[in-house]
């Protein structure tokens, strides 16, 4: 609420989000204006966390702290080594802050054992052995206030991706001097972010399991984990050759504790539930600015859910949302133009955000009056169809209203209830799954597919397409999306993927950033997409097989959207059951744990999607009636 593939490659890929931003600044600026110190700060249980502090050389004034806690290396370590850039942006770096970087426990130069998405303690007893990311943040702040000079007593925190989670995890039971926090692309819950989406395992993150799955023996400034070498750049073929996930043990086995956790906990059980930060976002005292990207393939659930949860549970807390036309972490760097896949959204958008939004937020709360009058809107959100920023007093906007778009026979899509007595069907073959992209290269956490051209999928027989006639006026969607499907399958399990697509006119012109071999005429822009593993249609904790050929309701939520389908375009919905190798293949024969499925369990299935008067399938969209 607003008041008035190598170790080196993968390490670099993940550190990008904790280190990178606009590179326009002088690389000598840090060395000329800051002094670095390293500390091993003791936590309440005695474990020491390596913390690197950069303080301004000018001691004539006091400065606030601006901190990032990370599993991706707080270095460089050692005397004489310094970062080329500090903080979220050059604007804040040159304003003067005491910048703090800390290795979380169990990572790099810090002591202790690592725990992915370490559970947050609920009821606090004061027992010093009870630790979580909130207590570690609290103890760090307390030590900094007592041992680092020339500060003004105020602390801010930010982080992107996993460091975004650590920022959000600092909010429960926050230190009273933690004034402003910006979780950016934060992980909210590993069962809905990154490694899973609605129960479907994201196979595209399989390579990342090495980064998070091995404990180290002690503090180290070198990577202690070995990365899998697939031996090919063809990700589709590599994972097809691997077969069932059971065969992945030859790459990880018992040594990788995270792989064992993934395998042993396919359902949303206590293991995952206690690792979610979402239930703990009550009684939030610091000011919060949540940042995300509409085309973030890794963490879109996190920022939207964290923002909405804080807003619901903390009506008097300063809590704002920024959603831009970015993929994962794009707002932290600037290349002059902003593109995702073949989509161009404008120039210097990240620099504008860093200067006019992020800088204003931290400056107001850490150096200014701090009364909440930041002059920023409640929600700064980018319309990815018009390439314009929108400002709203709430998100979703109170001006948005729900409208249902019904699937029709012969591939139609309209607001009318279907009157026919038909269904659409396709055969889903795990031996020939639908690719999620036309690219064949094996990537570490793919990104560009979020705005990729979907023509290739629309032309497959195992993908159903439904679309409106050419729009006679603009259609702006602003808010949530819910799919309500009436389906049946000839087998006992199935995944369901829904994609919301903007079909461009055939004569749509190219721009200078279109990738080689692509024509924007008739471009099928995937604006939003999501999957649900069908066994979890009633409960993520208690899976349930389908009854073969029985009409069954499958409802699930896609992530939010702010996009104008322009006059002359068409709104299209694609429905499919495989999305490979973005997600793992569902055997389609129900087995208790897909991670343990045998290769022989994978069978073909005929899937039906109904669009009749008695069994209508529909996509519920929030349509903006008026914009501000």
């Amino acid at each position: 609420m607003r008041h008035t593939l190598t170790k080196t490659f993968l390490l670099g890929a993940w550190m990008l989000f904790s280190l990178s931003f606009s590179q326009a600044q002088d690389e000598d600026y840090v060395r000329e204006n800051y002094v670095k110190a390293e500390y091993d700060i003791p936590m309440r249980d005695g474990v020491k966390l390596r913390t690197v502090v950069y303080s301004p050389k000018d001691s004539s004034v006091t400065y606030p702290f601006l901190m990032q806690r990370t599993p991706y290396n707080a270095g460089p370590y050692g005397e004489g080594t310094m970062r080329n850039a500090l903080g979220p942006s050059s604007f804040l770096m040159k304003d003067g802050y005491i910048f703090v970087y800390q290795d979380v426990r169990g990572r790099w130069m810090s002591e202790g054992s690592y725990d992915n998405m370490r559970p947050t303690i609920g009821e606090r007893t004061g027992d010093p052995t009870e630790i979580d990311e909130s207590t570690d943040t609290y103890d760090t702040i307390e030590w900094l206030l007592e041992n680092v000079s020339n500060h003004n007593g105020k602390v801010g925190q930010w982080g992107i991706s996993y460091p975004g989670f650590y920022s959000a995890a600092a909010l429960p039971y926050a230190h009273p001097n933690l004034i402003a926090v910006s979780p950016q692309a934060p992980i909210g819950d590993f069962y809905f972010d990154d490694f899973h989406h609605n129960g479907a395992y994201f196979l595209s993150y399989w390579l990342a399991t090495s980064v998070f799955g091995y404990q180290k023996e002690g503090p180290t400034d070198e990577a202690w984990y070995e990365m899998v070498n697939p031996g090919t750049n063809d990700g589709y073929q590599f994972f097809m050759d691997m077969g069932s996930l059971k065969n992945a043990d030859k790459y990880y086995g018992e040594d990788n504790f995270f792989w064992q956790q993934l395998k042993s906990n396919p359902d949303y059980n206590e293991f995952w539930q206690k690792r979610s930060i979402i239930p703990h976002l009550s009684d939030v005292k610091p000011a919060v600015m949540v940042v995300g990207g509409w085309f973030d393939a890794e963490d879109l659930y996190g920022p939207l859910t964290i923002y909405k949860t804080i807003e619901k549970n903390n009506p008097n807390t300063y809590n704002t949302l920024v959603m831009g036309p970015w993929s994962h972490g794009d707002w932290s760097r600037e290349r002059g133009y902003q593109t995702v896949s073949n989509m161009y959204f404008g120039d210097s958008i990240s620099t504008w955000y860093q200067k006019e939004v992020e800088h204003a937020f931290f400056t107001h709360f850490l150096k200014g009056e701090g009364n909440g009058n930041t002059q920023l809107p409640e929600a700064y959100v980018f319309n990815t169809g018009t390439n314009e920023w929108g400002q709203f007093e709430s998100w979703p906007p109170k001006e948005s209203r729900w409208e249902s778009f019904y699937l029709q026979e012969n591939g139609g899509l309209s607001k009318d209830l279907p009157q026919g007595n038909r269904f659409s069907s396709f055969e889903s073959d795990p031996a020939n799954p639908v690719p999620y992209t036309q690219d064949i290269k094996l990537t570490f956490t793919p990104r560009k597919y979020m705005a990729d051209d979907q023509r290739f999928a629309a032309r497959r027989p195992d993908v159903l397409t439904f679309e409106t006639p050419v729009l006679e006026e603009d259609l702006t969607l602003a808010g949530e999306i819910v799919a309500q499907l009436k389906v049946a399958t000839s087998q006992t399990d199935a995944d369901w993927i829904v994609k919301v697509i903007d079909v461009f006119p055939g004569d749509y012109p190219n721009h200078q950033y279109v990738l080689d071999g692509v024509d924007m005429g008739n471009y099928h822009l995937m604006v939003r997409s999501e999957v649900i593993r069908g066994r979890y249609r009633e409960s993520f904790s208690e899976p349930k097989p389908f009854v073969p050929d029985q009409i069954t309701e499958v409802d699930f939520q896609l992530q939010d959207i702010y996009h104008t389908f322009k006059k002359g375009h068409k709104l299209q919905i694609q429905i499919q059951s495989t999305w490979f190798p973005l997600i793992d293949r569902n055997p389609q024969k129900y087995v208790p744990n897909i991670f343990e499925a045998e290769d022989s369990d994978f069978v073909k299935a005929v899937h039906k999607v109904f669009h009749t008067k008695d069994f209508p399938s529909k996509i519920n969209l929030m349509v903006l009636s008026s914009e501000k």
Side-chain angles (χ1 to χ4, degrees):
M1 180 178 183
R2 181 172 60 89
H3 292 286
T4 132
L5 319 106
T6 60
K7 288 193 287 187
T8 303
F9 167 75
L10 289 206
L11 173 60
W14 280 93
M15 286 183 62
L16 177 64
F17 309 119
S18 62
L19 299 179
S20 66
F21 59 89
S22 173
Q23 296 300 311
Q25 73 281 340
D26 183 353
E27 292 185 359
D28 294 328
Y29 188 90
V30 176
R31 192 172 297 276
E32 293 172 355
N33 291 276
Y34 284 86
V35 59
K36 187 186 87 168
E38 295 185 33
Y39 306 100
D40 290 317
I41 299 180
M43 300 294 102
R44 61 190 62 187
D45 63 346
V47 170
K48 296 178 181 178
L49 304 187
R50 177 60 58 91
T51 308
V52 184
V53 178
Y54 294 83
S55 299
K57 290 182 179 179
D58 181 2
S59 59
S60 63
V61 296
T62 58
Y63 303 93
F65 293 99
L66 196 48
M67 177 170 63
Q68 180 187 95
R69 305 185 65 242
T70 178
Y72 300 132
N73 190 325
Y77 310 101
E79 185 177 354
T81 63
M82 302 185 79
R83 292 184 172 223
N84 291 329
L86 299 174
S89 75
S90 60
F91 303 106
L92 289 163
M93 177 179 72
K94 293 180 179 179
D95 269 0
Y97 285 80
I98 302 173
F99 291 103
V100 178
Y101 296 87
Q102 184 178 76
D103 292 329
V104 298
R105 63 171 63 214
R107 301 294 285 184
W108 299 92
M109 292 295 289
S110 286
E111 298 176 349
S113 296
Y114 180 62
D115 194 353
N116 275 304
M117 299 285 286
R118 187 183 302 277
T120 296
I121 302 169
E123 296 295 327
R124 311 243 161 173
T125 66
D127 184 342
T129 63
E130 290 184 337
I131 57 91
D132 60 16
E133 303 305 337
S134 175
T135 65
D136 282 355
T137 306
Y138 191 106
D139 294 349
T140 299
I141 292 174
E142 191 76 0
W143 191 94
L144 292 170
L145 293 171
E146 294 177 0
N147 293 277
V148 176
S149 62
N150 230 46
H151 63 77
N152 69 358
K154 296 181 179 181
V155 181
Q157 187 170 346
W158 96 101
I160 299 174
S161 193
Y162 220 141
F165 160 74
Y166 291 113
S167 298
L171 295 172
Y173 306 96
H175 193 286
N177 293 66
L178 183 61
I179 306 300
V181 178
S182 182
Q184 302 180 6
I187 306 165
D189 187 318
F190 257 164
Y191 205 75
F192 302 96
D193 275 308
D194 288 299
F195 287 90
H196 299 85
H197 281 214
N198 293 324
Y201 171 61
F202 258 50
L203 190 59
S204 57
Y205 284 78
W206 183 80
L207 285 173
T209 312
S210 292
V211 179
F212 303 108
Y214 298 104
Q215 301 287 359
K216 59 186 180 62
E217 295 182 358
T220 179
D221 60 357
E222 295 184 355
W224 60 97
Y225 44 82
E226 292 290 339
M227 305 306 304
V228 171
N229 180 6
T232 178
N233 288 324
D234 190 335
Y236 190 102
Q237 193 62 50
F238 171 75
F239 286 111
M240 286 301 295
D241 290 343
M242 178 189 289
S244 168
L245 289 175
K246 186 175 183 179
N247 301 324
D249 276 350
K250 67 181 180 181
Y251 296 99
Y252 290 135
E254 298 294 332
D255 292 340
N256 191 301
F257 72 88
F258 188 44
W259 176 243
Q260 297 305 318
Q261 291 170 340
L262 287 165
K263 284 178 49 183
S264 302
N265 298 280
D267 309 327
Y268 192 53
N269 56 18
E270 183 184 5
F271 175 83
W272 296 113
Q273 292 171 16
K274 69 183 183 181
R275 281 167 167 73
S276 174
I277 192 61
I278 306 302
H280 302 282
L281 297 175
S282 299
D283 195 28
V284 172
K285 296 295 195 302
V288 181
M289 183 178 74
V290 182
V291 182
W294 286 128
F295 297 100
D296 189 339
E298 300 177 43
D299 299 298
L300 189 52
Y301 169 90
L304 291 167
T305 306
I306 286 174
Y307 165 76
K308 292 176 184 178
T309 303
I310 294 174
E311 193 69 14
K312 177 182 178 181
N313 296 342
N314 307 270
N316 296 318
T317 296
Y318 182 99
N319 177 46
T320 60
L321 176 70
V322 182
M323 294 294 296
W326 299 304
S327 61
H328 195 62
D330 279 351
W331 54 91
S332 66
R333 49 193 175 268
E334 182 64 81
R335 56 183 174 183
Y337 59 91
Q338 177 57 33
T339 61
V340 181
S341 187
N342 294 285
M343 296 304 300
Y344 165 68
F345 298 105
D347 296 328
S348 302
I349 294 174
S350 297
T351 295
W352 174 86
Y353 153 77
Q354 293 168 15
K355 182 178 181 181
E356 303 297 335
V357 182
E358 184 178 58
H359 179 269
F361 171 76
F362 281 119
T363 300
H364 174 80
F365 285 105
L366 300 181
K367 291 189 172 186
E369 295 181 1
N371 59 9
N373 294 321
T374 61
Q375 306 305 309
L376 297 174
E378 171 74 13
Y380 244 141
V381 289
F382 192 90
N383 187 319
T384 54
T386 63
N387 291 355
E388 298 173 329
W389 284 98
Q391 301 183 32
F392 296 98
E393 296 177 357
S394 63
W395 186 264
K398 61 183 180 181
E399 299 87 359
S400 292
R401 66 185 186 278
W402 283 104
E403 292 189 6
S404 296
F405 286 76
Y406 292 90
L407 310 186
Q408 308 285 344
E409 61 181 332
N410 300 319
L413 181 69
S414 76
K415 299 178 186 178
D416 299 326
L417 188 69
Q419 298 300 313
N421 189 28
R422 299 181 60 115
F423 56 81
S424 298
S425 65
F426 62 95
E427 182 179 78
S428 177
D429 184 359
N432 184 27
V434 180
Y436 77 96
T437 177
Q438 294 186 92
D439 299 340
I440 65 168
K441 61 182 179 181
L442 182 61
T443 59
F444 182 78
T445 61
R447 296 180 188 164
K448 66 178 282 293
Y449 84 91
M450 291 285 284
D452 268 354
D453 186 358
Q454 298 299 305
R455 273 176 283 197
F456 76 96
R459 294 164 181 166
R460 285 199 41 137
D462 47 0
V463 176
L464 301 179
T465 61
F466 304 87
E467 63 182 25
T468 64
V470 174
L471 297 174
E472 297 181 356
E473 59 183 20
D474 289 355
L475 172 67
T476 298
L477 307 184
E480 299 176 349
I481 305 172
V482 175
Q484 292 184 294
L485 306 180
K486 304 297 191 298
V487 303
T489 174
S490 63
Q491 294 292 337
T492 50
D493 201 3
D495 293 341
W496 299 96
I497 295 106
V498 171
K499 298 185 287 190
V500 179
I501 292 167
D502 184 346
V503 179
F504 288 24
D507 60 352
Y508 196 90
N510 283 358
H511 54 77
Q512 62 179 318
Y513 304 113
V514 173
L515 300 176
D516 290 344
V518 176
D519 192 288
M520 296 302 293
N522 199 41
Y523 193 86
H524 284 38
L525 168 64
M526 189 172 74
V527 184
R528 188 62 65 240
S529 58
E530 193 54 279
V531 58
I532 186 171
R533 183 135 286 170
R535 61 177 58 201
Y536 299 115
R537 63 195 180 277
E538 295 182 8
S539 169
F540 290 111
S541 302
E542 300 178 4
K544 181 180 181 181
F546 287 86
V547 177
D549 299 317
Q550 178 176 296
I551 298 177
T552 307
E553 186 166 335
V554 175
D555 298 350
F556 64 102
Q557 185 167 347
L558 287 72
Q559 300 307 322
D560 294 12
I561 189 175
Y562 184 35
H563 184 85
T564 294
F565 295 75
K566 292 183 178 180
K567 176 182 177 180
H569 292 223
K570 290 185 288 186
L571 167 63
Q572 183 184 94
I573 301 297
Q574 290 185 5
I575 298 175
Q576 59 200 65
S577 284
T578 51
W579 213 13
F580 192 76
L582 188 69
I583 63 172
D584 66 317
R585 295 174 303 144
N586 190 321
Q588 302 190 134
K589 183 181 79 172
Y590 186 91
V591 294
N593 184 347
I594 291 179
F595 287 89
E596 298 291 345
E598 301 289 346
D599 289 325
S600 59
D601 291 325
F602 291 78
V603 295
K604 295 180 181 179
V606 174
H607 301 318
K608 299 176 181 178
V609 177
F610 289 82
H611 36 70
T612 71
K613 183 178 180 180
D614 293 332
F615 300 103
S617 295
K618 60 183 178 178
I619 310 297
N620 300 310
L621 305 169
M622 296 189 77
V623 177
L624 189 63
S625 57
S626 63
E627 296 189 56
K628 290 187 177 181

